[in-house]
Amino acid sequence: YKDRSRKDIQTWRLALMAIDHIETPRYNRYFDLVDDLRTDGTFIKNVILRKTATLSVGFQIRNKKTGEINEEATELLNQKWFYRYLNLQLDAIIYGVRLVEFLAFDGKKIKMSVLPSRNMVPSQKRIYPDLSKDKIFIQYDDPKHKPWIIELNDDEPLGLINNIIPNLIWKRNVAQSWAEFCEKFGMPMISATTNNNNTDHINNVEKQLLALAEASVGVFPEGTTVKFDEANRTDAYMVYSKFIEQNSNEISGVLVGASTLGSNDANRSNTEVHERSLDYKISQSDRRDIGFDVNDDLLSLLRIQGYTEFSEDDVYEWVESKEEIDLTKFWEIVKGIMEEFEVDEEWVSKTFNVPITGRKQTSVINQNVVPVALMQAIQNLIKNESIQNPEQKDNAPSDKKWSAPDYK
């Protein structure tokens, strides 16, 4: 069974002590705690942001020797099962180690399941079907399980969430205390005094007080005085709200690098800076780790299962060019290159998704080409005109300098 009781810091420390046990380490307490705390709203929001930023990029299988794209192998991975596998990779980074068991291989349809992490002992590479029986376990790193089992994030089995478990516990407990405070002091306390000590009279006053708390209208016996006592704790909001806000910021900072993403109080400039940090640093780090696992483990497993689409030289890689640079700016760069160098038409067509059928034929339009004979006749005419009108020649500009006349 899983412990669903209220958690505190001692619960987390006991779970870590069970993991560090020398002879019989156990992870069930820790992963039960993680499953209970993962329902926090701020935590869920930032997990979605991180997963979306990481998986919103395309991928391909490329032959590292020839540089050509393996379209058939890429199509095999571009299926629902593989996106679920990528999601499990991110779950392992955030929540802790995951053990994936492949159940069936039917062409492009591959079935898999996730074994319960609470039954695993990653430090010993064991899984216990019954945690109460220490002698019965499965050694899942045995070579015979290699065609069927992949362990994700075995280097950090506790996951990223271990760094913020105290914040998740404090935030939940303080929110619960705030709810209790609201029940006690959210509405004014109502009291009544009467000079009649008759039991029926007192019971009637109590009944009317309970009804008054709901309807704000009551009929009291004669001689009864009703008093409303307002709560004078004006600092409660700042105490509870600021504490919850502080822990929410800590949770967001660990998962997405900032607390402004998705916040109504953030300005645009700060949000854009933090968004670039998520897109170009955190998510790229996640994609790099996922790429290593896919190339080292998944492609090897698929080749063992008889998928000949994958060769030993094929590598999995992310296609990030469109994410790193805007398409319009990229086209301006390509245009500048085309002015000086020849660019492959097929590459241009594929990159910008434009069908190119051939080069456009250039034609001379509205240009008056003067024949050579006509040009010679015009030059002779201009020459004859200058002979027949010598005054025009005298009026022509001369290089001779002008000198003043001598009047002496």
Side-chain angles (χ1 to χ4, degrees), residues 126 232 252 294 407:
R126 296 176 180 178
N232 57 1
S252 301
V294 171
Y407 296 103

Side-chain angles (χ1 to χ4, degrees), residues 6 42 61 125 141 163 245 353 405:
R6 181 169 178 169
T42 302
I61 301 296
K125 304 299 180 183
D141 65 340
N163 300 313
E245 180 183 353
N353 196 23

